[in-house]
Amino acid sequence: MILVVGPSGAGKDTLMDALKQRLDTRDDVVFARRAITREADADAEDHDTLSRADFDRMTAAGEVALAWEAHGLGYVIPPAYDDFIRTGGTVIANGSRRVLKRAEEKYQTAITLLITAPVEILAERLAARGRETRDDIERRLKRADLEPDRVANLVRIENTGTVESAVNEMISALGFHTRER
């Protein structure tokens, strides 16, 4: 299990999309599709929609690979991905710092892939998106310099160059190489 985390504006989604394209010939790597307690939105991550009641029921029953709450929403990585990991596969998922310890306890080979950038760059990127007020951006930036505490397998990628250079760094740091199916 590789969980991709980092502050808003760091470029997690952009880099995950590019990494997915680079690894598309590998049948031993999948990118998790999360279920989230919000309606689908063309400007947001493509995800499965989950009601709050279903989120509560699934998490209480342990019918999830991983689950957490953040920003008033519930997030689920479906349990089918555990089966893929058990068969030797690698799952890459958009995660949260809130679930890293749980992931390390559950998966012997959990890796945290932290995507980050200097605060000034994060501020520019968040402002350019135009989705948040200045106060919202300032609140996000106050949390931006927080790195996961005591994470055993942390890979840190400073996303300040090109997408291609960051993806190359990710592939190298994670020990991936591309291959034909």
Side-chain angles (χ1 to χ4, degrees), residues 6 12 14 23 47 58-59 68 99 117 125 134 151 160-161 165-166:
K12 295 180 301 287
T14 298
L23 297 176
H47 66 276
M58 291 171 70
T59 55
W68 64 94
V99 77
R125 290 176 182 168
R134 182 176 173 191
V151 174
T160 56
S165 66

Side-chain angles (χ1 to χ4, degrees), residues 5-65:
V5 300
S8 294
K12 295 180 301 287
D13 292 333
T14 298
L15 293 184
M16 283 183 69
D17 287 345
L19 182 63
K20 185 175 184 177
Q21 289 177 8
R22 286 280 297 276
L23 297 176
D24 71 346
T25 60
R26 295 193 54 150
D27 56 9
D28 62 333
V29 177
V30 297
F31 286 74
R33 180 177 172 91
R34 301 188 301 182
I36 306 173
T37 59
R38 76 167 167 231
E39 293 301 316
D41 177 355
D43 293 331
E45 169 189 353
D46 185 25
H47 66 276
D48 292 327
T49 299
L50 189 65
S51 72
R52 174 51 72 169
D54 284 341
F55 174 83
D56 292 341
R57 180 192 55 74
M58 291 171 70
T59 55
E63 297 172 354
V64 298

Side-chain angles (χ1 to χ4, degrees), residues 29-139:
V29 177
V30 297
F31 286 74
R33 180 177 172 91
R34 301 188 301 182
I36 306 173
T37 59
R38 76 167 167 231
E39 293 301 316
D41 177 355
D43 293 331
E45 169 189 353
D46 185 25
H47 66 276
D48 292 327
T49 299
L50 189 65
S51 72
R52 174 51 72 169
D54 284 341
F55 174 83
D56 292 341
R57 180 192 55 74
M58 291 171 70
T59 55
E63 297 172 354
V64 298
L66 291 170
W68 64 94
E69 295 187 56
H71 312 294
L73 299 171
Y75 296 81
V76 168
I77 296 175
Y81 294 110
D82 283 345
D83 294 335
F84 190 73
I85 291 170
R86 276 192 284 278
T87 63
T90 297
V91 174
I92 300 175
N94 197 335
S96 168
R97 286 173 251 193
R98 291 187 165 118
V99 77
L100 296 179
K101 285 298 178 195
R102 201 166 329 136
E104 282 188 343
E105 291 167 3
K106 182 172 182 175
Y107 306 103
Q108 291 179 330
T109 57
I111 296 172
T112 299
L113 181 58
L114 173 67
I115 308 297
T116 192
V119 173
E120 310 80 55
I121 292 176
L122 297 174
E124 289 173 17
R125 290 176 182 168
L126 290 172
R129 291 195 314 200
R131 289 190 274 181
E132 299 169 299
T133 68
R134 182 176 173 191
D135 288 342
D136 291 337
I137 290 171
E138 286 179 14
R139 276 193 297 278

